[in-house]
Each structure stands twice: as C-alpha cells, then as structure tokens.
C-alpha cells in the first residue's frame, strides 16, 4: 500500500522545494512515486508522467490528498520524441520552465542474454537509454535557450558499474545514463545545469519484483523490511530515497554535480568484499577457533624455517 510522505517524514526543512517545478518520469509507481511524494511534501510542483493514465491519476490523488494541488499528471511514452515534446510544451505553457528533472522511468525483465530478441533488447533500451536521453535533451535545449538553472537526477543501478547478468539491456543502458550524467555535468555545468545519478539498493516495488524477482512479493518484503543484500540487513525506506533525491534537486546542493551516489546500505561494497559473506555471522567462539587455527598454521610454518 502506498502512503504518501509528509514533511514530517523527511529530514529536509519544510518548504525547501517551494517554487521548484520538477518532472519525475515514471512517477506514478515505485521509486518514482516515492520521489514525487517527497518533492511534493517539500513544496515543489511535481509533474509525473507515464504510459498508464489511471495509474498516474491514482498516485496524484493520493499525494494531493496530503499536499494539495502539488502533483499534475501527463501521459507520455518516453520512447517517443513527439510524446516527450508535447509533454514538455504543455509543462512550459502551464507555468514556465521545469527547474528539476528526475529520470526515473525504466523497463526491465530478467532473461538469459542468449534468449533475448533484438526487439526485447530495444523494449528496454528504448526506455532506459534512448528515452532518458530524449527527455534530458528536450529539457536541456529549453533550459539552455532560456538560461534556466536546473538539477537533473537520474536513477540508475549498481549494475551500471559492475555489470548485470541476466539484465544485460538494463545494465548497459544504466551505464550509458551514468555516462550521460557525467558528460553533461561538464558540458552544461557553466550554464547552471547539474547532473547527478542515484543507484538504489533494495527498495521493494511491484514493477521491479514482477519482472526481476519472480515469485517474490514486493509488498511483503517492504512490510518485513529485511534484506540479505547489505550489511544493514534491511530494505530502503521511501523517505530515505526522497531525502536523497530532494537534497540533490534542492538549492543547497548547488556545488554537487557529476556524482553517482548509491543508496544501498553499503550493499555494493559488501558484495565486492570477498570475506564478508563468509565471516559476517561468526560469533566470539568461532572467531576464537579461527584465530587458534591460524596461529597453529603460523607455528607450524615457523618450526619449518
Ligand atoms: C523475454 C521479452 C519479455 C520477457 C518482453 N519481451 N518481455 N522477452 N522475456 N520477459 C520482448 C517481447 O517478446 C518482444 O520481442 C519485445 O520484448 C517487446 O515486447 P512488448 O511486450 O511489446 O514490450 P512493451 O510493451 O514495450 O514493454 C516494455 C517492457 C515492459 C520493458 C518489456 O516490461 C515494461 O513496460 N516495463 C516497464 C516497467 C518495468 O519494467 N519496471 C521495472 C524496472 S526495474 P519480440 O521479438 O518477441 O517481438 C529496474 C531496476 C534496475 O529498472 C536495476 C536492476 C538490477
């Protein structure tokens, strides 16, 4: 069940994003909805777009119930340049430029790479890679032409850095988006446009679970709150995601650009640490036995010197 965030749930000061106009692609569900909710709670006018109007309307109604009038919906398929252009024209006409963009919309499914068709590859990369670029470019051209400062946050994944077996198109596309973020942070930095990327660890959402973790329930896992994917042993909370993205969108982070920040409870470092999984659950007795075993090996080696 989706519970919209309020300013009390967030660590940032109420009204931090007042006057900001922020587009969250794919903002009707999952992580996008968490971010949209947090930004609205902090006073931004938030535009959420997606392909399913009913889903958008439902999310907007829930958020507007606690942050009246803060969320507007726009139907848009980010695989279509025309659809993006129409959406951005409508936003600019409605009340002026966007000041923030959250590239959140994604598509994914688990598959052996050898089983993918080119259409399957494109179904994902046309959303994650090309679609994200087209939305960014559409906003960027407008911002550059009118001299508007803006902050762009792209939701990526750790598979952008170390590969994503069984999710090759998503992984390749997310790596491209990380590169876009770094590239444009430099290219457009002197025009006041910032780019940062955020890679989430486990934030259970129905859309991702259905396509990546078959047989597992996102709502049950969110409710239970546990995860084996990081040393903290837990999943991320919607407010934690909203805090980070709102911080990067907000005026106080104006000197942060070109960065990629994980929000995963050190999951990435843990997975990359070869001895963590082996040793994390040992108690005093086991550590004593291990130490004695190592010392015995040392003594044997010394005796042979
Ligand atoms: C193999 C598949 C497939 C599957 C679709 N295809 N699903 N192939 N396994 N499970 C193939 C089809 O066979 C077809 O190719 C081609 O893809 C297009 O299929 P469509 O159904 O027409 O695609 P479309 O309706 O455009 O849907 C796009 C989608 C869908 C990406 C496939 O899943 C979607 O709309 N997802 C949006 C939401 C989502 O995915 N959320 C999770 C994001 S999680 P052929 O050749 O047969 O015609 C995330 C986390 C990242 O991003 C981090 C991960 C670690």
């Amino acid at each position: 069940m989706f519970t919209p965030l309020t300013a009390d749930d967030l660590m940032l000061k109420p009204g931090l994003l007042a006057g900001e106009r922020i587009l969250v692609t794919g903002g009707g569900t999952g992580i996008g909805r968490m971010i949209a909710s947090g930004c609205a709670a902090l006073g931004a006018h938030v535009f959420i777009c997606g392909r399913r109007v009913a889903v958008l309307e439902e999310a907007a109604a829930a958020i507007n119930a606690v942050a009246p009038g803060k969320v507007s919906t726009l139907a848009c398929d980010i695989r279509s340049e025309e659809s993006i252009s129409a959406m951005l024209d409508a936003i600019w006409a409605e009340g002026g430029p966007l000041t923030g963009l959250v590239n959140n919309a994604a598509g994914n499914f688990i598959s052996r790479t050898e089983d993918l068709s080119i259409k399957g590859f494109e179904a994902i990369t046309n959303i994650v890679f090309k679609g994200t670029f087209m939305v960014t470019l559409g906003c960027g051209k407008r911002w550059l032409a009118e001299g508007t400062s803006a902050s762009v946050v792209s939701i990526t994944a750790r598979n952008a850095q170390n590969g994503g077996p069984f999710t090759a198109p998503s992984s390749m596309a997310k790596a491209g988006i990380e590169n876009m973020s770094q590239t444009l942070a430099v290219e457009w930095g002197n025009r006041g446009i910032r780019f940062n990327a955020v890679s989430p660890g486990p934030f259970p959402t129905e859309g991702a679970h259905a396509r990546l973790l078959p047989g597992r329930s996102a709502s049950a896992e969110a409710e239970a709150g546990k995860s084996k994917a990081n040393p903290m042993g837990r999943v991320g909370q919607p407010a934690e995601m909203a805090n980070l993205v709102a911080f990067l969108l907000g005026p106080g982070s104006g000197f942060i650009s070109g960065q990629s920040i994980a929000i995963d409870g050190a999951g990435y470092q843990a997975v990359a640490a070869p001895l963590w999984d082996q040793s994390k659950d040992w108690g005093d007795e086991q550590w004593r036995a291990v130490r004695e075993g190592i010392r015995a090996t040392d003594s044997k080696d010394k005796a042979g010197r």
Side-chain angles (χ1 to χ4, degrees):
M1 212 202 61
F2 169 57
T3 308
L5 297 166
T6 67
D8 288 343
D9 298 315
L10 301 164
M11 70 176 187
L12 300 163
K13 66 178 178 189
L16 179 85
L17 298 178
E20 307 285 347
R21 292 164 57 77
I22 295 164
L23 171 62
V24 184
T25 64
T29 54
I31 286 175
R33 189 171 58 182
M34 298 173 195
I35 295 167
S37 175
C39 291
L42 292 167
H45 192 110
V46 182
F47 300 87
I48 57 174
C49 72
R51 290 171 288 174
R52 292 174 295 160
V53 174
V55 167
L56 294 170
E57 294 295 346
E58 200 180 318
I63 299 171
N64 283 332
V66 299
K70 289 296 181 191
V71 179
S72 304
T73 64
L74 294 132
C76 180
D77 183 345
I78 67 164
R79 293 173 296 190
S80 155
E81 196 181 357
E82 294 72 34
S83 182
I84 292 167
S85 195
M87 168 178 69
L88 297 182
D89 283 348
I91 292 173
W92 257 255
E94 178 264 0
L98 286 171
T99 59
L101 166 64
V102 181
N103 285 318
N104 164 79
N108 208 348
F109 54 76
I110 192 166
S111 170
R112 295 187 299 188
T113 302
E114 64 267 34
D115 294 339
L116 286 170
S117 68
I118 295 304
K119 274 196 189 155
F121 177 84
E122 287 175 345
I124 294 169
T125 56
N126 281 349
I127 301 171
V128 183
F129 184 63
K130 189 176 169 195
T132 299
F133 176 68
M134 290 196 297
V135 176
T136 306
L137 185 65
C139 290
K141 281 184 171 180
R142 287 166 169 81
W143 288 328
L144 295 174
E146 65 205 9
T148 302
S149 298
S151 175
V152 179
V153 178
S154 298
I155 306 302
T156 60
R158 276 302 194 171
N159 65 12
Q161 276 96 39
N162 63 349
F166 308 111
T167 56
S170 160
S171 174
M172 294 162 68
K174 296 279 192 189
I177 295 310
E178 294 254 344
N179 193 293
M180 177 194 80
S181 187
Q182 293 174 335
T183 298
L184 295 180
V186 177
E187 202 174 315
W188 294 349
N190 63 350
R191 266 73 61 81
I193 305 174
R194 296 189 293 120
F195 285 84
N196 292 289
V198 165
S199 26
F203 281 81
T205 66
E206 299 298 345
H209 265 57
R211 294 172 177 96
L212 301 176
L213 302 165
R216 286 171 48 176
S217 158
S219 52
E221 291 185 20
E223 178 85 12
K226 293 186 173 24
S227 170
K228 290 185 180 148
N230 61 73
M232 295 182 187
R234 70 172 178 88
V235 303
Q237 296 300 318
E240 292 170 328
M241 175 60 66
N243 277 324
L244 174 58
V245 176
F247 166 72
L248 291 170
L249 290 167
S253 66
F255 205 41
I256 302 175
S257 192
Q259 298 305 300
S260 178
I261 301 170
I263 175 164
D264 69 348
Y268 179 76
Q269 285 76 10
V271 169
L275 301 182
W276 175 68
D277 197 42
Q278 168 201 275
S279 314
K280 65 183 165 49
D281 298 323
W282 292 349
D284 291 345
E285 186 51 36
Q286 194 151 9
W287 278 111
R288 190 190 56 74
V290 165
R291 187 168 57 243
E292 284 176 4
I294 294 168
R295 297 305 282 161
T297 304
D298 290 345
S299 299
K300 209 169 133 206
D301 285 359
K302 278 179 192 165
R305 279 178 204 159

